[in-house]
Amino acid sequence: MRDIIFVTGNANKLKEVKMLLSSDSTSSINVINKALDLDELQDTDLVKIARDKCKQAMKFLEPGQEVFVEDTALAFDEFNGLPGAYIKWFVKSMGLDKIVQMLDSFPNKGAKAITTIAYADKNGEIHVFQGITQGNIVPSRGSLNFGWDSIFEPIETNNLTYAEMSKEEKNKISHRSRAFEQFREYLATAE
Amino acid sequence: MRDIIFVTGNANKLKEVKMLLSSDSTSSINVINKALDLDELQDTDLVKIARDKCKQAMKFLEPGQEVFVEDTALAFDEFNGLPGAYIKWFVKSMGLDKIVQMLDSFPNKGAKAITTIAYADKNGEIHVFQGITQGNIVPSRGSLNFGWDSIFEPIETNNLTYAEMSKEEKNKISHRSRAFEQFREYLATAE
C-alpha cells in the first residue's frame, strides 16, 4: 500500500475524498487523514492558496511523505470570482440565507464551484489539479449537512441542488469529483 | 530620531499615517516606509491577521528594529463582520457599486470601519491597537482616490462620506485616526 496523507479536519470531506480516490487504478492507495491546523492565504488566486497550504503541510511531515490538501471555492460570476475561497467564512459568519440574499438585486445568479488540489509527491514537487462545475445560487433546498451544497444548483442537473442529489449523482458532476478524477489519473500513471 | 518602519505599499495610506503619527509628543519619531510583500491570513479575527503580518515583517528586518503594520476592515453589521479584512479583494474584484448593491435587499446598511495596528517594539514584543468608526454603506459619493472611502458615511458626520470630507475632518473621527491616536500615545509613553 502507498500511504498518502490528506490534510483536513472535515469528516464529510474526508469521506467524499476517500470515495473519489477509490478505483481499480488506485486501489493500492491508502488515504490517511491528518487534521493539521494550516493557515490559508488571503488571495483570489486559488492555485496560490492551495500550493501555500500544501507547503505548510509538508513542514509537519517527514521528507518524502506524499501529501495533498484541497481547497474549495464558490465564485459568483457577478462578483468576478468572489466570495471564492472566502466562502467558508461567509457560511460560518452569516449563514446560507444571507449569502443567497446578497445576490437578490443581481439578475445573474451564476456561480462556479471550484476544487483545487495541491499534491506534493515524494520528491517534494507540488502538482495542482482543479475541477470546476458551473451552476446557479438558489434559495437553500435539501440537506444542510455539507457547507453550501443546498444553495448550489449545477446547470447540468434537473434543477437539483447538490444537497438534493445522492452521493453518486453528485460525484458524477461535482467540482470535487472532477478535480479528484485528474488527481487519481495522475497518481495511477506516476506511481 | 527614532526610526520606526511602517510596512505598506499604499502611498495614500503612508501619507495619512505620517500625518496621524506627527504630534508634539512623537516629534522625535521618523516613520520609514518599506513596501514588503507580506501575506495575509484568511480570518475574521482582525487582531490575529495583524499580529501575523507583523511577525512576517520582523523576519525581513534586523533584530531590535521597531516596525508596525496596519490592516483595515469594513465589517457589515448584517453580515456579522464580513467582508471584514477581505474588503480590499471585493473592491479590487467587483468594484464599489456592486459592494453597495450586495446590501440592496438588506434594510440594515450599518458597518464598522476598523483599523488594526500591530507594532513590534525593540524587544520584539507585539502590541495591538484598534480604532473603530460606526457608519453606513451608501452609494458612492466623493473622490474615488482612497479605497472604499466614497461608500462609507460615518454616523457622526453630517451625511458626508469619508471621501467628501477634508483630510482634517476625516482624521477627527476616522477608524484609522482612532487606532493611531492610541498608538501615538503608547509610543510617547514607552520611549
Side-chain angles (χ1 to χ4, degrees):
Chain A
M1 291 297 272
R2 172 180 177 194
D3 290 344
I4 303 190
I5 289 173
F6 174 39
V7 180
T8 187
N10 183 326
N12 276 323
K13 227 180 230 188
L14 176 66
K15 211 156 77 177
E16 197 169 287
V17 163
K18 281 194 166 179
M19 190 169 165
L20 291 170
L21 271 185
S22 67
S23 81
D24 286 352
S25 60
T26 48
S27 58
S28 62
I29 285 172
N30 185 29
V31 175
I32 298 175
N33 176 233
K34 272 210 196 252
L36 301 173
D37 190 20
L38 304 179
D39 291 327
E40 286 177 0
L41 287 187
Q42 282 185 37
D43 216 290
T44 46
D45 180 342
L46 305 175
V47 172
K48 192 175 162 190
I49 296 172
R51 290 183 72 95
D52 178 82
K53 213 165 126 182
C54 188
K55 278 186 205 162
Q56 285 180 63
M58 290 163 74
K59 289 186 192 156
F60 287 93
L61 304 171
E62 299 291 314
Q65 173 62 61
E66 294 173 85
V67 60
F68 67 98
V69 299
E70 70 109 73
D71 202 41
T72 286
L74 189 58
F76 293 179
D77 295 340
E78 193 67 36
F79 291 6
N80 200 21
L82 287 171
Y86 307 143
I87 186 63
K88 53 190 161 298
W89 301 96
F90 279 75
V91 172
K92 204 163 117 181
S93 290
M94 57 194 269
L96 296 174
D97 292 344
K98 287 188 178 179
I99 292 173
V100 175
Q101 203 180 337
M102 280 203 302
L103 278 172
D104 265 7
S105 75
F106 296 93
N108 179 3
K109 312 292 185 194
K112 288 171 185 64
I114 307 170
T115 284
T116 310
I117 300 168
Y119 156 72
D121 66 22
K122 54 182 186 285
N123 302 314
E125 203 179 316
I126 296 176
H127 310 264
V128 175
F129 310 92
Q130 199 166 59
I132 301 179
T133 297
Q134 184 72 46
N136 286 296
I137 302 301
V138 298
S140 180
R141 296 195 320 266
S143 157
L144 296 172
N145 284 343
F146 203 165
W148 40 263
D149 270 15
S150 67
I151 63 165
F152 186 77
E153 191 182 278
I155 50 170
E156 292 146 274
T157 53
N158 282 329
N159 305 319
L160 295 178
T161 67
Y162 272 163
E164 292 175 313
M165 300 178 190
S166 69
K167 285 220 180 307
E168 293 70 23
E169 284 175 305
K170 183 184 166 193
N171 284 345
K172 270 182 207 153
I173 53 120
S174 83
H175 55 296
R176 187 168 288 115
S177 66
R178 284 174 180 160
F180 276 92
E181 200 182 310
Q182 296 168 45
F183 182 33
R184 205 176 56 217
E185 279 172 20
Y186 180 85
L187 288 175
T189 56
E191 261 177 293
Chain B
M1 290 298 271
R2 172 181 176 191
D3 290 344
I4 303 190
I5 289 173
F6 175 40
V7 179
T8 186
N10 182 326
N12 276 323
K13 228 181 228 189
L14 176 65
K15 213 157 73 179
E16 197 169 288
V17 164
K18 281 195 167 180
M19 191 168 162
L20 291 170
L21 271 185
S22 67
S23 81
D24 285 352
S25 59
T26 48
S27 58
S28 61
I29 286 172
N30 186 29
V31 175
I32 298 174
N33 176 233
K34 275 213 194 245
L36 301 173
D37 191 18
L38 304 179
D39 291 327
E40 286 175 3
L41 289 187
Q42 284 184 38
D43 216 291
T44 45
D45 179 342
L46 305 175
V47 172
K48 190 174 165 191
I49 297 172
R51 289 183 72 94
D52 178 82
K53 212 166 128 183
C54 188
K55 277 187 204 159
Q56 286 180 64
M58 289 163 75
K59 289 187 192 155
F60 286 95
L61 304 172
E62 299 291 315
Q65 174 62 62
E66 294 172 85
V67 61
F68 68 96
V69 300
E70 69 109 71
D71 201 41
T72 287
L74 189 57
F76 294 179
D77 295 338
E78 193 67 36
F79 290 8
N80 200 19
L82 286 171
Y86 307 143
I87 186 64
K88 52 190 162 300
W89 302 96
F90 280 76
V91 172
K92 204 163 117 182
S93 291
M94 58 194 269
L96 296 175
D97 293 344
K98 287 188 177 178
I99 292 173
V100 175
Q101 204 180 335
M102 279 201 304
L103 279 173
D104 265 6
S105 77
F106 297 93
N108 179 1
K109 313 292 184 193
K112 287 172 186 60
I114 307 171
T115 284
T116 310
I117 301 168
Y119 155 71
D121 66 23
K122 55 182 186 288
N123 303 314
E125 201 179 318
I126 295 176
H127 309 264
V128 175
F129 310 92
Q130 198 167 58
I132 301 179
T133 298
Q134 183 71 44
N136 285 294
I137 302 299
V138 298
S140 181
R141 297 193 321 266
S143 157
L144 297 171
N145 284 343
F146 202 166
W148 40 263
D149 270 16
S150 68
I151 64 166
F152 185 78
E153 191 182 280
I155 50 169
E156 293 146 274
T157 54
N158 282 328
N159 304 317
L160 295 176
T161 67
Y162 272 164
E164 292 175 313
M165 298 178 193
S166 68
K167 284 218 181 311
E168 292 72 23
E169 282 175 305
K170 184 184 166 195
N171 284 346
K172 269 181 210 153
I173 53 121
S174 83
H175 55 298
R176 187 168 288 115
S177 66
R178 283 174 181 162
F180 275 92
E181 199 180 309
Q182 296 168 44
F183 183 31
R184 205 175 60 216
E185 278 171 21
Y186 180 84
L187 288 176
T189 55
E191 260 178 292

